[in-house]
Amino acid sequence: MHLAKRMEHIKPSPTLAVDAKAKALKAQGVDVVGFGAGEPDFDTPDHIKQAAIKALHEGFTKYTPAGGTEELKAAVCEKFKKDNGLVYSPAEILISCGAKHSLYNIFQALLDPGDEVIIPAPYWVSYPDMVYLAGGVPVIITAGEREGFKITPEMLAATITSRTKAFILNSPSNPTGAAYTREELEGIAEVLKKTAVLVISDEIYEKIIYDNLVAHSIVTVAPELRDRAIIVNGVSKTYAMTGWRIGYAAGPKHIIAAMTNIQSQSTSNPTSIAQKAALAALTGPQDFITTMNTEFDRRRRYMVERLNNIPGIHCAMPAGAFYTFPSIAQLCGAQGNGKVITDADAFAAYLLDTVNVAVVSGSAFGAPTNIRLSYATSFETIVKGIDRIEQAVRALA
Ligand SMILES: *Cc1c(COP(=O)(O)O)cnc(C)c1O
């Protein structure tokens, strides 16, 4: 049986694959250090779990409206008002099975065959595949380390064509941790204002940011874009709730309605008790975030300093999220374990084969000479893993 044509470009998420491989080796008793984690290593705060348990006991175990409960939508509206100074009504909100699902619904609702979506690289692995699945064409603009991994207004302007339907902004970014400043967002917004391009702002790492920086929403910075902007966010990263699968989108009513219809014909509502947990996350105490960020920050500084002390590796300081994205370009061409390190794929394989360290190759993110290391893992693990990477790099000839 032939698979549908749309499957041609689709691959399994490589970040989840690295994590799975490391876990499989671990299960065989191999002492693997995994830097692949795409989720906080903290446990979901107890008051959030208690809300789900209460919901279970109270029998809140049936279908809810497909687009989410009214109380959770109201809490999301309140979050936008409080954190972003944005006024949305519940009809402009969709609750999904994770932010990923909101993004998926956006592309399904918006794209006709051939519609272009501009994606700055390095990008989150799922964007191009989700665009392909909807029949669209991803158009990649690359911002390297020299640009701080951030595109400029000029780069964006030069990439927009009559076929451009949307532009994806992800700040702070997975995989680079780069965060756009207010001024940079203003510059991007100026370009968008002169066009009809829709902006999709993935703000999932909004609260995971360091050095007293603030992650601004492009819609807050440029309210003129509100009618053609969709903000995507969720509780996965901020509240260590990746397994609960609750994300949300805010945008123009007719787009949200279309996304809700897609959801009603595919998944129906996100899990009822997880919605109660997300409600507790958004409306309850927020001190957990500071505790988590303080620890992430300590690991971030340590990891960046150690990486920069390894000859041939260069690592920029990420502003947010929980990843470092060092360049290994200077190591390319070296010999290790009888093989030439041609790119990050080869380097990642070399690390796994020789010192049992799992990292994600940047090729999955559109950056073939970088690797992604997550610091959502214990400090001791980071020390051990970087020691091993250093040893492996020093062994290169
Ligand atoms: C983790 C992640 C998501 C998806 O989060 P879920 O809410 O768990 O689906 C979306 N975008 C980026 C950039 C991410 O890193």
Side-chain angles (χ1 to χ4, degrees):
M1 180 68 79
H2 286 294
L3 295 177
K5 212 162 173 48
R6 77 177 77 87
M7 294 308 295
E8 271 172 18
H9 298 286
I10 311 306
K11 23 181 205 325
S13 166
T15 50
L16 296 179
V18 168
D19 214 35
K21 188 163 179 189
K23 279 179 184 144
L25 282 170
K26 227 175 238 167
Q28 290 165 29
V30 180
D31 177 24
V32 180
V33 174
F35 284 122
E39 59 186 350
D41 54 317
F42 293 80
D43 196 7
T44 304
D46 198 55
H47 71 277
I48 297 175
K49 290 184 186 173
Q50 291 305 329
I53 292 167
K54 180 160 177 275
L56 262 179
H57 284 151
E58 288 175 354
F60 193 72
T61 55
K62 304 290 168 64
Y63 290 134
T64 77
T69 62
E70 283 307 311
E71 59 176 0
L72 183 52
K73 286 187 188 180
V76 168
C77 291
E78 194 50 42
K79 176 254 171 288
F80 278 117
K81 204 188 304 165
K82 191 174 66 188
D83 293 345
N84 312 99
L86 294 171
V87 178
Y88 283 102
S89 67
E92 295 169 304
I93 303 292
L94 170 68
I95 311 294
S96 298
C97 310
K100 190 182 243 176
H101 187 212
S102 275
L103 288 160
Y104 184 86
N105 289 333
I106 292 172
F107 300 122
Q108 292 295 322
L110 283 176
L111 300 185
D112 279 318
D115 281 349
E116 295 179 354
V117 177
I118 297 176
I119 305 175
Y123 46 74
W124 184 49
V125 286
S126 295
Y127 299 141
D129 290 50
M130 289 198 278
V131 169
Y132 278 129
L133 271 174
V137 179
V139 176
I140 310 297
I141 350 177
T142 301
E145 194 182 324
R146 221 170 345 126
E147 291 89 29
F149 298 118
K150 295 185 270 192
I151 62 156
T152 61
E154 294 72 30
M155 288 162 82
L156 178 61
T159 315
I160 292 173
T161 72
S162 58
R163 289 222 293 251
T164 307
K165 189 89 181 234
F167 160 66
I168 304 180
L169 187 67
N170 174 215
S171 173
S173 153
N174 174 4
T176 67
Y180 287 77
T181 65
R182 176 176 267 276
E183 291 68 32
E184 287 164 346
L185 290 174
E186 277 165 3
I188 300 279
E190 279 311 308
V191 173
L192 292 169
K193 278 182 209 168
K194 295 181 197 121
T195 71
V197 173
L198 184 113
V199 56
I200 299 166
S201 185
D202 180 346
E203 302 179 4
I204 194 95
Y205 293 102
E206 175 192 25
K207 298 284 177 88
I208 305 180
I209 188 159
Y210 312 103
D211 303 325
N212 298 314
L213 292 173
V214 175
H216 299 284
S217 173
I218 191 165
V219 188
T220 306
V221 170
E224 307 93 311
L225 294 178
R226 191 188 183 283
D227 291 345
R228 51 196 172 87
I230 303 178
I231 300 176
V232 175
N233 205 329
V235 296
S236 282
K237 310 292 162 60
T238 310
Y239 303 98
M241 290 179 69
T242 46
W244 298 79
R245 309 311 304 132
I246 299 291
Y248 51 86
K253 236 182 242 175
H254 68 290
I255 302 178
I256 291 294
M259 290 164 63
T260 306
N261 286 343
I262 291 166
Q263 199 162 290
S264 77
Q265 299 295 7
S266 49
T267 58
S268 297
N269 63 276
T271 306
S272 58
I273 57 173
Q275 290 190 70
K276 283 287 189 186
L279 179 68
L282 291 176
T283 58
Q286 303 291 305
D287 48 321
F288 166 80
I289 305 171
T290 314
T291 309
M292 180 170 71
N293 283 357
T294 304
E295 177 57 18
F296 277 158
D297 184 29
R298 179 170 88 100
R299 300 175 190 171
R300 171 185 74 128
R301 290 169 188 283
Y302 175 80
M303 193 185 251
V304 170
E305 191 187 327
R306 285 288 313 271
L307 287 168
N308 279 323
N309 279 328
I310 302 176
I313 293 188
H314 184 262
C315 185
M317 183 66 84
F322 40 71
Y323 313 98
T324 58
F325 201 61
S327 165
I328 57 109
Q330 285 178 45
L331 299 176
C332 292
Q335 291 257 357
N337 206 18
K339 293 190 198 118
V340 178
I341 306 293
T342 47
D343 56 12
D345 284 347
F347 185 66
Y350 170 70
L351 290 181
L352 195 57
D353 291 344
T354 58
V355 289
N356 295 321
V357 171
V359 303
V360 186
S361 166
S363 61
F365 308 98
T369 56
N370 287 74
I371 55 173
R372 192 192 75 174
L373 278 71
S374 164
Y375 47 89
T377 187
S378 75
F379 200 87
E380 305 85 79
T381 304
I382 294 171
V383 174
K384 183 157 121 182
I386 304 281
D387 283 349
R388 290 189 191 180
I389 294 175
E390 180 157 21
Q391 175 202 333
V393 170
R394 291 192 190 276
L396 290 171

